[in-house]
Amino acid sequence: MTDWFEEQLEIKNGRAVRILTKELLESYRSPFQKIDIYDTVPYGKMLAHDDVIMLTEFDEAHYHEMIAHVALNVHPNPQRVLVIGGGDGGTLREVLKHKEVQSAHLCEIDGDVVRLCKKHFPNLSSCFQDPRSEIFYEDGAKFIKARPNYYSVIIVDSSDPIGPAEVLFQENFYRDMFNALTDDGIVVTQSESFHFHRGIIKQIAQFCGKIFPHYHYYYSMVPTYPSGVIGFSFCSKKYDPISDFKPEKVEALHDLKYYNPGIHKACFILPRAFSQFLAEFQKK
Ligand code: SPD
């Protein structure tokens, strides 16, 4: 029997994404969160944590390609990559499309996310079989403290800044990531929507401006996330996301649905009012 799923992330602000579901395939309460997997009428299978949409089969590529390929096509030789969060495997799947990646670590606090996604989302989680990948079931904020000067690229594929992911939106965590990078490293983090979450973005951009020589916000279109848009912070010690972009690397990537060289450049071009908003506090 069909039933409406109503996402809870924006409900306090009087708005919600609603999706018609066919069946609740699995519901499990882990020590960290409620994990639900639905089959939906319009979007295939869907993963939700505490009633907030993490991904649907319909548009997960719009998110995972964009969180991974932008930095990996700017860094000239991303040998060691770390994904924090991302237990569904979608981000790691994209990272492993890059031949220069020699080791790809995934640090996910909630082992039940990995277990359930292996069962329900093989298209995302089959990448865990790649011998270059290794999973650590640890708190990402603690994990990076123990690995100074190690990673070429760190990608934070977190949920929203409520509950277990709150620490991943704080200044100290970004300072620890800076230290965990090699001298030319890049960090990319899930940084919410410029339509709805400007307070969070302002905070991140302000402290990243103090920590990293380069800070840029870019975005992807993901219809099943609130506002249909999600953004990312590109924080870099050395490379610029446009002048150091290597479009020739894109040809080697297989099975892309969203990302291309044009999108790489266009995603940093922001709507007028939002770019004025960023510029105003970045110059202070
Ligand atoms: N508002 C939801 C943002 C979720 C971002 N991460 C999702 C995990 C997909 N790998």
Side-chain angles (χ1 to χ4, degrees):
M1 207 180 75
T2 58
D3 199 4
W4 286 98
F5 168 90
E6 189 172 67
E7 195 197 60
Q8 296 303 302
L9 183 64
E10 287 296 320
I11 213 91
K12 60 183 180 305
N13 300 316
R15 52 202 177 201
V17 175
R18 286 179 90 212
I19 295 177
L20 192 62
T21 64
K22 289 184 203 167
E23 193 186 347
L24 178 58
L25 300 170
E26 185 110 29
S27 185
Y28 185 81
R29 194 165 284 281
S30 82
F32 300 97
Q33 58 212 335
K34 179 164 73 89
I35 304 165
D36 291 324
I37 296 161
Y38 293 89
D39 193 12
T40 76
V41 172
Y43 299 137
K45 286 190 202 167
M46 173 173 83
L47 171 69
H49 294 173
D50 292 333
D51 297 315
V52 173
I53 297 168
M54 291 295 113
L55 65 90
T56 74
E57 287 181 320
F58 169 70
D59 55 9
E60 56 86 10
H62 299 201
Y63 176 84
H64 292 126
E65 290 180 13
M66 291 299 283
I67 202 171
H69 298 310
V70 171
L72 292 169
N73 286 328
V74 168
H75 197 291
N77 191 19
Q79 294 189 345
R80 293 179 188 156
V81 178
L82 169 65
V83 177
I84 295 179
D88 50 79
T91 298
L92 197 72
R93 176 193 66 198
E94 299 304 319
V95 167
L96 290 165
K97 288 179 182 175
H98 292 258
K99 298 281 181 283
E100 321 92 274
V101 173
Q102 293 177 356
S103 79
H105 291 168
L106 182 116
C107 181
E108 166 62 65
I109 198 166
D110 193 342
D112 290 307
V113 174
V114 175
R115 178 177 63 79
L116 294 171
C117 289
K118 278 184 178 168
K119 179 172 166 194
H120 293 282
F121 296 98
N123 179 37
L124 286 89
S125 57
S126 55
C127 64
F128 294 136
Q129 290 158 15
D130 187 309
R132 295 174 292 162
S133 74
E134 191 172 351
I135 308 181
F136 300 83
Y137 296 108
E138 291 178 41
D139 176 340
K142 292 190 183 137
F143 182 85
I144 47 159
K145 283 191 190 172
R147 286 161 179 83
N149 193 27
Y150 190 78
Y151 293 106
S152 332
V153 173
I154 300 174
I155 299 172
V156 184
D157 179 5
S158 69
S159 46
D160 304 291
I162 318 152
E166 206 174 336
V167 64
L168 306 181
F169 288 78
Q170 289 169 6
E171 180 169 349
N172 282 346
F173 174 62
Y174 278 76
R175 289 197 183 278
D176 291 336
M177 289 199 287
F178 182 92
N179 293 331
L181 290 174
T182 52
D183 288 347
D184 62 351
I186 302 172
V187 162
V188 171
T189 61
Q190 188 276 97
S191 295
E192 304 290 351
S193 161
F194 59 70
H195 290 301
F196 289 175
H197 310 118
R198 292 199 182 179
I200 297 167
I201 298 168
K202 178 174 178 176
Q203 234 181 336
I204 296 173
Q206 273 179 326
F207 59 65
C208 284
K210 290 187 275 167
I211 303 171
F212 289 89
H214 302 269
Y215 175 83
H216 297 271
Y217 181 94
Y218 70 95
Y219 71 96
S220 180
M221 287 183 268
V222 183
T224 59
Y225 285 163
S227 86
V229 162
I230 193 140
F232 307 95
S233 289
F234 180 100
C235 317
S236 164
K237 286 189 174 181
K238 181 173 176 188
Y239 302 115
D240 178 89
I242 302 299
S243 57
D244 292 309
F245 171 46
K246 293 158 193 67
E248 64 282 2
K249 287 177 79 176
V250 182
E251 281 160 37
L253 303 172
H254 56 88
D255 295 333
L256 294 179
K257 293 193 178 124
Y258 187 92
Y259 177 80
N260 64 33
I263 292 265
H264 182 111
K265 294 178 201 151
C267 68
F268 288 94
I269 299 173
L270 303 171
R272 183 181 292 266
F274 177 62
S275 67
Q276 278 166 355
F277 167 84
L278 277 181
E280 262 165 43
F281 64 83
Q282 280 178 324
K283 71 184 171 210
K284 282 175 200 155

